[in-house]
Amino acid sequence: MLPQCLQDADLSVLSQTMAQCCKNIKETVQMLASRHKDIHGSVSKVGKAIDRNFDAEISAVVAETVWDTPERQKYLSETIVEHLYRQGMLSVAEDLCQESGVVIDMSMKQPFLELNRILEALRMQDLRPALEWAVTNRQRLLDLNSSLEFKLHRLYFISLLSGGIGNQMEALQYARHFQPFASQHQRDIQILMGSLVYLRHGIENSPYRSLLETNQWAEICNIFTRDACALLGLSVESPLSVSFASGCMALPVLMNIKQVIEQRQCSGVWTHKDELPIEIDLGKKCWYHSVFACPILRQQTSESNPPMKLICGHVISRDALNKLTNAGKLKCPYCPMEQNPSHAKQIYF
């Protein structure tokens, strides 16, 4: 048994320790409450800012009859299915085909199956399927002036270098694959062969350490997607992705112009037909074909009013051609040459 005085001393120390702990806990709770109050104030303002800056009602700028026919609904379903195939979501695409009644030919489906199989292998850092595909399509890639095959061989060579001195002989033997690309990629090949000198000490400790950058795998995936889509006659991004991105950029502008039209009570300006009330710049990324504006009528040409090339070389719209024709003759508005309007040729773009 401890003496009574020692027991009292231990209780006194324990009491002081507990009091100090309670004090620290109280101070910590007060500090957290203060911080939470500051954060809560900022977070509560976010909701109000969203309500103030975003309009949940967008039906005012949407044509209600845009998808009113079975044919248009079929086009929409096919576009969504193509997007799903591009993204590798094959099972979802098949379910949508069954529910919507859309029939997709196997010849359209097969290229996407192969593309996604190769991309999945590249994401796993397996280059063999992509190399086999590139060798099979070598001539078509050369016609596109593509460097995909060389970049795949380069990346495979670098993966051998990262394995250390044990892969030296295999790397030297694999370097023979660079021979067909020597004239176009001489400098890159010299750098790769120079890195072999430092293989014993490790490429990561040499001036060639940049060869081991990990972003090369993401880059090769992008290059493969771009060139594979080019061979298939497809854009890199799906039509659905492009349309969605364009709509996101155009929607705020359309909401603003709609509000201005309603305030000024000029509702007849925008009739929801095939044209917008103003021009919206979507950037060069969304430029897919040439656009010609007639210098006479200052109107953009279309399929029903295409650009026409005169014998003298000047180009005007078909509507302008018809208006300038007089008694079966046409005088070019830019030069004094008189010509037969039937000799004008339509320009396709």
Side-chain angles (χ1 to χ4, degrees), residues 3-270:
Q4 184 66 33
C5 59
L6 291 178
Q7 291 182 1
D8 293 341
D10 290 341
L11 291 174
S12 177
V13 172
L14 181 61
S15 177
Q16 293 177 1
T17 303
M18 292 298 295
Q20 185 63 39
C21 288
C22 292
K23 181 180 179 182
N24 293 339
I25 292 172
K26 186 176 180 180
E27 291 176 353
T28 302
V29 170
Q30 290 178 347
M31 180 182 65
L32 292 174
S34 177
R35 291 180 179 178
H36 174 74
K37 188 181 296 184
D38 295 338
I39 296 174
H40 178 73
S42 301
V43 171
S44 62
K45 294 178 182 178
V46 173
K48 296 178 181 178
I50 292 175
D51 295 337
R52 184 170 60 253
N53 292 283
F54 289 87
D55 196 335
E57 179 56 48
I58 61 172
S59 60
V61 296
V62 177
E64 296 180 358
T65 59
V66 67
W67 305 115
D68 60 347
T69 64
E71 184 180 13
R72 291 180 177 180
Q73 293 177 7
K74 177 175 175 290
Y75 289 151
L76 177 61
S77 298
E78 290 177 348
T79 303
I80 297 174
V81 169
E82 179 186 335
H83 176 78
L84 293 173
Y85 279 139
R86 283 172 174 259
Q87 299 298 317
M89 305 173 70
L90 307 181
S91 60
V92 180
E94 294 296 334
D95 290 343
L96 178 59
C97 288
Q98 292 180 1
E99 294 182 10
S100 63
V102 173
V103 179
I104 302 297
D105 190 78
M106 190 62 189
S107 59
M108 174 185 172
K109 190 187 308 182
Q110 186 60 37
F112 293 115
L113 297 176
E114 184 180 18
L115 188 148
N116 281 286
R117 177 182 64 83
I118 297 174
L119 276 176
E120 188 62 31
L122 287 175
R123 294 188 184 104
M124 300 295 293
Q125 300 190 1
D126 181 6
L127 292 166
R128 287 173 297 178
L131 280 168
E132 292 173 0
W133 182 90
V135 172
T136 303
N137 296 277
R138 176 177 294 171
Q139 188 55 51
R140 297 175 67 192
L141 289 171
L142 290 175
D143 294 341
L144 290 175
N145 197 26
S146 169
S147 60
L148 174 63
E149 186 179 354
F150 169 74
K151 289 184 178 295
L152 288 169
H153 285 303
R154 175 182 177 275
L155 195 54
Y156 191 88
F157 186 84
I158 291 173
S159 67
L160 293 176
L161 295 180
S162 62
I165 192 65
N167 292 338
Q168 185 176 24
M169 290 305 301
E170 186 179 356
L172 285 170
Q173 292 176 357
Y174 193 83
R176 297 174 182 174
H177 290 87
F178 296 137
Q179 191 274 332
F181 312 100
S183 58
Q184 291 181 317
H185 303 280
Q186 181 180 357
R187 179 59 180 164
D188 290 328
I189 296 173
Q190 288 174 343
I191 292 174
L192 292 172
M193 301 311 296
S195 64
L196 290 171
V197 177
Y198 296 90
L199 198 56
R200 185 175 299 276
H201 302 286
I203 301 298
E204 64 277 4
N205 302 318
S206 73
Y208 298 92
R209 65 177 66 91
S210 60
L211 293 175
L212 303 179
E213 292 179 353
T214 56
N215 60 355
Q216 296 178 99
W217 290 99
E219 180 185 356
I220 201 67
C221 288
N222 293 334
I223 295 174
F224 171 77
T225 302
R226 182 195 66 198
D227 292 349
C229 288
L231 291 187
L232 294 173
L234 301 170
S235 60
V236 177
E237 297 185 19
S238 71
L240 184 65
S241 298
V242 175
S243 300
F244 181 79
S246 301
C248 290
M249 288 188 284
L251 186 59
V253 181
L254 295 177
M255 295 295 293
N256 290 337
I257 192 65
K258 184 67 177 179
Q259 186 176 1
V260 171
I261 290 174
E262 291 176 350
Q263 289 176 352
R264 298 185 179 180
Q265 297 180 351
C266 47
S267 56
V269 174
W270 190 4

